[in-house]
Amino acid sequence: MIRAWSIDTTFANGLPWADLRNEVFKTTRASLRQPTNCTQVLQDAYTKFSKRGQPFIVSDSSFQPQIMLPREYIKWLTTQSDAVLSVWPVRTKRRALGAMMSTVDHKSTIAFMDTIVGRFLTRNLDNVQADVSGEMSASIDSAMGLGERDWHEVNLMQTFKDIGDRTGVRALILLSGHLPPIIRPIGGLLLFLPFRFCKARVKKVLTLVIKQRMQEVAREQDDAKSENESQDFLTQSLRVIMKDKFSVHRSAEYVADQFLVLSFATLASTSLVASNLFLDIISSAPSLNAYELLRLEAASAFQSESSWADPIALKKLVLADSAIRESIRRSSIQTRGLLRAVVSPDGVTLPNGTHIPRGTWLGVPVQAVHMDGDLYDKPYEYKPFRFTKMRSENYAQSQEKVDATDIGDTFLGWSYGRYACPGRWFAVQNLKLMIAYITLNYEIQPIDKRPESLVFGDANVPSMSACIKVRRRRRA
């Protein structure tokens, strides 16, 4: 019992601990305070230590303290070998991958996602745009309604879950990774039993569909004439998989498991980002006229029904692109990121010479970096067109990339390095189509103050109780 509430501090090696107080059981109590003071602790420690190039330690509600590295260590952190620093111990514990991925191993999952998302989906975004926009418009109409006369209230988080991820279980899966170890077995069981039940039912149906599609693809390969090949995402993905040299990838059960993981990893995260995005837009300063300018841009880009399938039209949404990037900066869904576990038996030595033993977690205070006044003017303000301005002639000589999908050591919303989100192009495509369709077809009443986000561990989740008033825009 005592060990379950205790924390090993031998890894500290003289580094400053950001949130300890002079009290009994100070490390344990600091961990229990994390859900209520995480954001402020990280911001204060970033200013005090990171800005001076010094790593620091922060407690965590999971009783797994982490060493936060200064921004100048990011490239060092993300270029270390997987045999030295690995993301998998973190993801297995933090993201509850044991429950989500019990039938597949991590390396094959990365290979699958790299093939399907990194190589296939990203390269074929133009081909899937028509299907995506069609499905999205139907989902938005269903979630927001078609009434043009009266305003009605909708729960923002639930609306975007309905639009982007109808399973609604990802939040429960994430939560379990932040529970204190003494209650994690019980809490995990209560959270995972419903998930496993739902997953089994969905997988059974999905496996049957995949088997049918695999048979169709096999017939296509035997038929020299393939003029009528289906262009939908699942069938296209199966064509790629069935050409893979690893025969295990041809199992329908395996593919079903991987597509379930893919759906959790992409759709749920997109719904969180979308909720933040619209909260930011409708609570922005009235003088910015953000919602109306985004609507006018969408009206200019999508002048006919066929425009929704045109990739060129999507590329015209430069204001929307900036609004998305700024929301990810201002309302990051992570307080900490780029987390790695030291897996080398010999440990690792930081650039400043500090030796860190095996089992220690390292990361970066993402939210604090995004709120750095030396990197961003008025960082606590949501300025939707901040990055549009950065594309102007004043920044023509700069090498900084400011598209919504661009990554760098000052913008960590998609992570950084070889484990940066491979689906970010697809996510931004979805978010742009979402902004365009909603602003063109719906009115949303602005709000005076943005609801506070819920911070738990390294998760920064938009308010689950926030409601907005909407109505269908009257057609001319």
Side-chain angles (χ1 to χ4, degrees), residues 212-287:
Q212 180 184 357
R213 297 292 181 88
M214 292 179 89
Q215 291 171 357
E216 293 173 0
V217 171
R219 286 195 294 270
E220 286 176 2
Q221 293 174 345
D222 293 335
D223 188 355
K225 297 179 181 180
S226 56
E227 298 177 359
N228 298 319
E229 287 186 355
S230 171
Q231 296 298 315
D232 70 80
F233 176 56
L234 177 59
T235 305
Q236 289 277 34
S237 300
L238 290 173
R239 291 194 186 103
V240 175
I241 293 165
M242 292 176 70
K243 292 178 182 178
D244 194 282
K245 63 182 179 180
F246 299 106
S247 61
V248 67
H249 287 187
R250 300 189 183 187
S251 160
E253 290 77 12
Y254 173 89
V255 176
D257 261 324
Q258 300 291 9
F259 265 99
L260 287 173
V261 174
L262 186 60
S263 68
F264 282 122
T266 56
L267 298 180
S269 297
T270 301
S271 69
L272 294 177
V273 173
S275 298
N276 274 329
L277 173 61
F278 276 87
L279 279 177
D280 287 331
I281 291 172
I282 65 175
S283 65
S284 61
S287 60

Side-chain angles (χ1 to χ4, degrees), residues 15-315:
L15 293 176
W17 204 303
D19 50 356
L20 292 191
R21 300 174 183 174
N22 187 18
E23 58 189 356
V24 179
F25 303 120
K26 55 186 178 182
T27 54
T28 299
R29 293 168 76 172
S31 298
L32 295 175
R33 283 193 297 268
Q34 269 294 294
T36 60
N37 69 356
C38 173
T39 300
Q40 193 60 52
V41 165
L42 286 172
Q43 191 62 56
D44 291 346
Y46 176 82
T47 301
K48 184 177 181 180
F49 302 115
S50 294
K51 296 276 284 184
R52 299 177 182 176
Q54 185 177 9
F56 65 89
I57 302 169
V58 66
S59 304
D60 186 75
S61 56
S62 68
F63 283 40
Q64 174 68 59
Q66 299 156 14
I67 297 177
M68 294 288 101
L69 303 178
R71 188 169 63 88
E72 52 263 42
Y73 285 19
I74 289 176
K75 290 183 180 178
W76 172 87
L77 174 69
T78 56
T79 54
Q80 296 302 301
S81 163
D82 287 341
V84 177
L85 298 178
S86 175
V87 301
W88 287 114
V90 177
R91 292 183 180 180
T92 299
K93 182 176 180 180
R94 190 63 116 196
R95 308 304 178 200
L97 294 183
M100 291 178 62
M101 301 165 52
S102 57
T103 58
V104 294
D105 67 69
H106 301 154
K107 291 183 178 179
S108 64
T109 298
I110 285 294
F112 179 90
M113 289 188 175
D114 180 60
T115 299
I116 298 305
V117 179
R119 301 182 192 177
F120 169 71
L121 180 57
T122 300
R123 295 178 184 178
N124 289 274
L125 286 179
D126 294 353
N127 294 333
V128 301
Q129 182 173 321
D131 289 336
V132 170
S133 63
E135 178 61 31
M136 181 166 294
S137 62
S139 298
I140 291 172
D141 289 345
S142 174
M144 290 190 162
L146 299 174
E148 297 179 352
R149 184 171 181 177
D150 299 320
W151 293 95
H152 63 281
E153 194 171 75
V154 298
N155 179 280
L156 188 72
M157 176 71 84
Q158 189 59 51
T159 296
F160 284 108
K161 278 188 176 181
D162 290 343
I163 294 170
D165 178 15
R166 305 193 181 195
T167 61
V169 300
R170 176 65 169 178
L172 298 179
I173 299 301
L174 290 177
L175 176 60
S176 68
H178 298 283
L179 296 176
I182 194 170
I183 64 173
R184 194 176 300 145
I186 300 173
L189 183 64
L190 293 175
L191 294 171
F192 291 144
L193 285 179
F195 169 73
R196 286 184 180 274
F197 175 73
C198 293
K199 177 186 173 184
R201 294 187 65 182
V202 173
K203 182 181 175 181
K204 182 178 179 180
V205 175
L206 184 57
T207 300
L208 292 175
V209 173
I210 289 173
K211 284 181 178 179
Q212 180 184 357
R213 297 292 181 88
M214 292 179 89
Q215 291 171 357
E216 293 173 0
V217 171
R219 286 195 294 270
E220 286 176 2
Q221 293 174 345
D222 293 335
D223 188 355
K225 297 179 181 180
S226 56
E227 298 177 359
N228 298 319
E229 287 186 355
S230 171
Q231 296 298 315
D232 70 80
F233 176 56
L234 177 59
T235 305
Q236 289 277 34
S237 300
L238 290 173
R239 291 194 186 103
V240 175
I241 293 165
M242 292 176 70
K243 292 178 182 178
D244 194 282
K245 63 182 179 180
F246 299 106
S247 61
V248 67
H249 287 187
R250 300 189 183 187
S251 160
E253 290 77 12
Y254 173 89
V255 176
D257 261 324
Q258 300 291 9
F259 265 99
L260 287 173
V261 174
L262 186 60
S263 68
F264 282 122
T266 56
L267 298 180
S269 297
T270 301
S271 69
L272 294 177
V273 173
S275 298
N276 274 329
L277 173 61
F278 276 87
L279 279 177
D280 287 331
I281 291 172
I282 65 175
S283 65
S284 61
S287 60
L288 297 176
N289 201 23
Y291 195 87
E292 180 63 13
L293 289 176
L294 290 168
R295 187 188 72 81
L296 292 173
E297 180 182 66
S300 175
F302 298 102
Q303 297 186 10
S304 66
E305 197 64 32
S306 61
S307 299
W308 292 95
D310 184 1
I312 295 176
L314 203 66
K315 290 178 173 64

